[in-house]
Amino acid sequence: MTTSLGLDPKKIADLRKTADSITEKVRPLIKSNTTLTVERAVLRLMGLDGTDADGVPLPNVVVNHLRSILGGGIAIPVARGMLHHNLGINELAEKVSAGEISLLENTSVSRTRAEEFLTELVDEQLETIENNRKTREKMISDLGEGPKPWQYVIVATGNIYEDAIQAKAAAEKGADIIAVIRTTGQSLLDYIPYGITTEGFGGTYATQANFRHMRKALDEVSVKQGRYIRLVNYASGLCMPEIVVMGAFERLDMMLNDSMYGILFRDINPVRTFVDQYFSRMINAFSGMIINTGEDNYLTTADAIESAHTVLASDLINESFAKAAGLKPAQMGLGHAFEINPDTEDGFLMELAQALMLREIFPEAPLKYMPPTKFMSGDIFKGFIMNAMFNLAGVWSNQGIQLLGMLTEAMHTPFLHDRFLALENSRYIMNGARHIGDAVSINPDGIIAKRAHHVVDETVKFLHEVEFDGLLKSIAQGRFADISRTMDGGKGLAGVIEKNDDYSNPFALAMARKTGIGEEVTKWI
Amino acid sequence: MTTSLGLDPKKIADLRKTADSITEKVRPLIKSNTTLTVERAVLRLMGLDGTDADGVPLPNVVVNHLRSILGGGIAIPVARGMLHHNLGINELAEKVSAGEISLLENTSVSRTRAEEFLTELVDEQLETIENNRKTREKMISDLGEGPKPWQYVIVATGNIYEDAIQAKAAAEKGADIIAVIRTTGQSLLDYIPYGITTEGFGGTYATQANFRHMRKALDEVSVKQGRYIRLVNYASGLCMPEIVVMGAFERLDMMLNDSMYGILFRDINPVRTFVDQYFSRMINAFSGMIINTGEDNYLTTADAIESAHTVLASDLINESFAKAAGLKPAQMGLGHAFEINPDTEDGFLMELAQALMLREIFPEAPLKYMPPTKFMSGDIFKGFIMNAMFNLAGVWSNQGIQLLGMLTEAMHTPFLHDRFLALENSRYIMNGARHIGDAVSINPDGIIAKRAHHVVDETVKFLHEVEFDGLLKSIAQGRFADISRTMDGGKGLAGVIEKNDDYSNPFALAMARKTGIGEEVTKWI
Amino acid sequence: MDLNLKEIKPYGDTLGDGAVQLSFTLPLKCGAHSTEAARRLVLSMGFSEAEVVNNVDIGEGFTFFVVYGKGCRSIDVTTIEVAQVKTSVWSRAECNTKAPEMFDRKLIVVGACIGEDAHTVGIDAIMNMKGFNGHYGLERYSGFESHNLGAQVTPENLLEKAIALKADAVLVSQVVTQRDIHMKNLTQFVEMVEASGKRNEMLLIAGGPRIDNALALELGYDAGFGRGSYAEDVASYILQELYRRKTSALA
Amino acid sequence: MDLNLKEIKPYGDTLGDGAVQLSFTLPLKCGAHSTEAARRLVLSMGFSEAEVVNNVDIGEGFTFFVVYGKGCRSIDVTTIEVAQVKTSVWSRAECNTKAPEMFDRKLIVVGACIGEDAHTVGIDAIMNMKGFNGHYGLERYSGFESHNLGAQVTPENLLEKAIALKADAVLVSQVVTQRDIHMKNLTQFVEMVEASGKRNEMLLIAGGPRIDNALALELGYDAGFGRGSYAEDVASYILQELYRRKTSALA
Ligand code: B12
Ligand code: B12
Ligand SMILES: Cc1ncc(COP(=O)(O)O)c(C=O)c1O
Ligand SMILES: Cc1ncc(COP(=O)(O)O)c(C=O)c1O
């Protein structure tokens, strides 16, 4: 008697090998380029923050200032400037902004001197992040954490103060994870807004001050509830790595971070995205954050039955990229979703099949399971039971991260009580069917098992095609989410810079050492 | 691989034997008594209907008139009167009511003559009922019927006209069965109200005119929907067999009819109930109606986990009595319910265990599965997902009759849209998990299997105790539903009449012949 | 949050947004016309915005709507006074200790579910040994002698029994409320007690899921208990109220 | 049923009972006081009865309520007029047959999701080959030449493209509605078109789940389409409306 679907381990191993071969072919592209936001992220890692008199974020000021020599990496010129002028990075940047200092001029500071200085600075800065990681670990061991599947809810009022109140209320009623959804369009900004914000549309600006405000609120409620509450934001769009840096400094616990989401759903240039993604993930890996990938999004444009294999394929690609950046399986919140048309006969069984299949293929990953959204409608009552079945599939297949569905999904970002009802829904279902996975087995010749085998077989075919054509060409052919994107199209291409031989990113190597990828990193960055 | 719980067939056979031995011991009591309502039912079968000038139903008038000689059965004296006065039964009764005729006086009509007359009348009357049965069968074969589990909803506005509108709306939206709940307290009336009624509390009076009005409405909608819609009422309380007669004449399809419900939940005298029950069930059997037993009610006063075995025990007793009265397994809507406290860890798994267990023990019976009621609260959202899980258990365990739960159970009898939402709930869940029973197996060492085995074992113990003490003593000891009732207590005892040797109920024998119990019947009636 | 208690509004996702969810059925065909009717109906309730998010044919010419309203009227909560039971709640142990200090005999309690109502689980929860939800009933309270007459007791019978047993308190349960039958039954009983001249000799206590203290007072009872009440609430009330009456009579 | 259309009320289980379910949150602690506040708030909406059936603490001093109101106000539905799209709906086949009879060229349609809105599924459903729910999009209509610009198009870009392509109709989709951002975007676009002097040369059509024809007209569009609309609705409207304009211009 076994609760498994009986998937063929050889097939699964072959899938992984194919995925690795696919990402391996993207490696040279990643290796040979840097981007504006990667360099801004380096500056942030070095400690730069704040805005100039016009409200332009200082990382943007400095990167723009050094635009012409970014191919060598921004760290060395800025370190030289700091040493030469004997200024902290913020003062230096302010003077650059005021036109009082130019970092393009030659300085007396030798490269070796700058490198030594950076080594120290990098250690110091990474220690801050490491301390955050330790604080998190200690809080979790002191306070404990909710059982899996973790209950994940979003706040999205647009106003960080309201968000914090609502997040605390949710945590009091059982939420384990709070995600602050970003305002519509932030991902297309090529800078990070600054300070506390109270005006967003369908979400709240991701700013470091907002991160801090929310972290504080959640720490309070964690202590009160005796349960560590995790905080999530979105490392996507044109500032992917910068967001992760901010998150690392403010002790965020998870980041939405997908290798292809920006390309497909935000029409961001593929090269820009792959480069940004790699460095982002290194920081995620180092700071102990869990990433959440975005396979759910495929099913908002493609059909959940027909395209189930693209979800698995993308999970494997995300996994392969993540591994390369030093993320451990326990940090891989690989995505999938419950999006089959609710009118489908045996649709629940197919959903369950897919959820169990991913569990079996990624036994250690805290899979991130997304609720029904596409077929949610103004019929809140029906929506509520769709969410219940989603919760049942979640507990049955032992998901790691359960993003709770809202009965008002089709109308508005969640109201305070929508979230409460979602938590109540999940508590009832997951408690009442807690050990269902142990109590029943999957019949090898039943609908569930057959569906899972079918999806695996489709994925084998699909990934081999992608391997054959290459990932970039496959994306251009619209193989993912029915959306076609080309290498020379999309936003942010202008922000991709070819590296020269002197390129240096001192944080990459240092982090790589600590996350265990070591010298391997030089193949990628 | 098997979806069964692996219950031991020998144990099940033993359970059935014990149940038969329990009911067998009640047989002499049933055999030796008749009741006011049994005799009124005979009059109704003979064609008597209507009320006298004071509004007293004519069956009551005649039975009261002949009160002193009921020990011989009412059929012969009335037949004699009809022949002697050369009057139809209604005219005769009216004259009795007016004091113009006494049936207590000797007539010139011989018993043999009366018996011959009755044989003819009985045949004629039973043919009417048989024709109703045939009409039902033809309509079902012409129109078809919904797949099982049949969707059963109640109407209970108190006003038969509103009831009919709402019943039709429900049928349009997927209901297969409509039950008209009776007004509070009707079961304690020792007569049947007459005519169309529009004023009830928590239900609508069961009258023959109301039956007719509703049957007509449902026939209309059956044709419109191309699906036969069944009609249900309640054969319980002090007029159990009379209600069944009315139902047989108006082509009702199901009757709530439990062997102990009246005793336990209406404090009706046990002897009265057992006698009424037997004759009621003969009519049910003959007219092709399905009975619904009331085990769910136990769980409203007793705990659903602790007392699960009393449900199974009662189902076995109900089955045994039903068999004796000529009911086929396909006519036995044996009851159970989904009433475990929703806060119970793995509570859903226990519910499922119990539902699967009954399915395995009663493979041919269209089990009647009752929804959560006790733990329904003003939290309509939570209630709605409790109903969803109930529907899942229903389709999983292949129930015959699914009484849909209402999200407003804790507040009011169903509003029009509550019923719609219930049907939508069930449609979504049952369609989406239609073949779940085939797709998964129960692990023999998991919670579900263990729970089922445990309940069976408890039932074995319990039934042996009941067998040892006898059913009546067991009831007096409060073994069922934590309620104690004694043989000489309860309502309606005064309406129990010891039979004398001349006792005759010509319908009993005639029906017994047609349902296949034949001479066996004389052991019981 | 900066609350203005004189103008409290529902909260959806921002303080003061006045967001309310509604659902109802109109006896109108499903379509644009009935949707507009539903929208206007909600606006007429005092919302500044109303959005029909779901309209569905539910058969026989009826349409079911789900509507979200915004900008609902506000309510001044500073003027709201709720007639709550004023005595404090003692645990069963406390009741058991204090009862003999307060009274030199057991208090007699008679209870029933009157009229045609047969829902005894509620009154049993308060009176019987077993109690409810882990809270034992009055039968386990040493200071009380408790008589539960059960279901479907006529007001006449209840009064008769109460007089015969010299009840200190009479507990009346009503669960069925359709067409306000509970109000009729409760009123009838209180009127009979008054007519009997015994009103001052017994506390009259009503209970049930749709009863609260305010309603009970309105109907002429001494107190009322709704959903979520337990034996200790009732025992505490009886002890304290009868003690107050006893001592104030002496004074 | 005997309906009085001048006084339509919600229907719970009896004609005219005016039964409505409501749910909302108040920024008040859970308890008898806030329950009474919730009840009175609902009464203030014009109900004759209101029953709070559920009140639950949802954290941070908020309470969620479920209330059933009865005896709601009625509405006169005889006076309601809905600004519906007046053209009739032709099937795709009909559109394909009639288009060449009505126009001697293909009609040019340009569409986009404007502002920061990236929800393209709706506009794709109307315009793309594949369509939605088994209804093909305008790309499969032989009488149309269809240009879908996709997501997050600025109003400027959309107008520019529309002018460059000589669009007969411009389709604007808006899905995100928080803080009425869709109203702002739609208004901005219509104002730009007017400023460009081209308003009379193109039909302006808005769509999205919270858009209806009435709202679109109000904002200055020629028509609006909400949830559940398909390409045939839009195609039929464009054909018939442009034909009407063409022929009435000739007359
Ligand atoms: C169990 C139950 C039954 C059982 C009752 C068994 C029994 N021995 O009591 C059975 C199956 C027999 C039954 C039958 C019927 N029921 Co019934 N039943 C219920 C149910 C599911 C639960 C009630 C319950 O036990 N609650 C638990 C107890 C502990 O709560 P409670 O009663 O509120 O009591 C608490 C407080 O209110 C308070 N309290 C109560 N009484 C008192 C008294 C005093 C003095 C004090 C201090 C406190 C107090 O303390 C208690 C503990 O906290 C409800 C639905 C629901 N979920 O609420 C329907 C419900 C009450 N029934 C209903 C109806 C209509 C009926 C029937 C009339 C249907 C019919 N036509 O056949 C019948 C007839 C019964 C009759 N003649 O009265 C309706 C009533 C509608 C209305 N508002 O009028 C309900 C709401 C279901 C529905 N939605 O239709 N029912
Ligand atoms: C799919 C989806 C997404 C996908 C979109 C993919 C894509 N390429 O479109 C992704 C995942 C990317 C996404 C992201 C976001 N989304 Co979104 N998303 C949805 C979802 C689940 C379904 C929308 C949908 O596709 N419906 C199906 C289509 C066919 O319906 P439709 O758009 O109504 O279109 C029909 C009609 O309206 C009409 N129509 C529509 N447009 C037009 C135009 C014309 C001219 C005509 C004639 C007709 C017409 O015809 C169509 C066919 O009938 C809804 C929730 C829901 N269930 O509705 C949320 C929802 C729309 N999203 C929402 C939000 C907030 C977001 C984000 C802003 C969240 C965030 N902060 O990250 C982001 C950012 C997106 C952005 N920048 O705009 C909110 C909007 C809240 C509000 N009312 O303002 C919703 C309601 C979810 C929620 N409850 O929070 N989302
Ligand atoms: C992986 C991933 N990243 C990012 C986002 C958010 O979008 P944006 O980057 O536009 O804020 C989503 C949306 O759900 C997502 O799934
Ligand atoms: C078996 C059975 N009979 C009858 C009834 C109805 O009660 P009454 O006989 O009081 O109408 C029920 C209640 O649900 C029942 O389960």
Side-chain angles (χ1 to χ4, degrees), chain C residues 44 99 124 175 193 199:
Chain C
S44 81
D124 291 352
V175 175
V193 179
R199 180 64 186 88

Side-chain angles (χ1 to χ4, degrees), chain A residues 26 35 50 61 118 124 149 245 341 440 519:
Chain A
V26 184
T35 72
V61 169
L118 277 169
E124 211 171 279
V245 172
N341 187 328
V440 305
E519 291 304 311

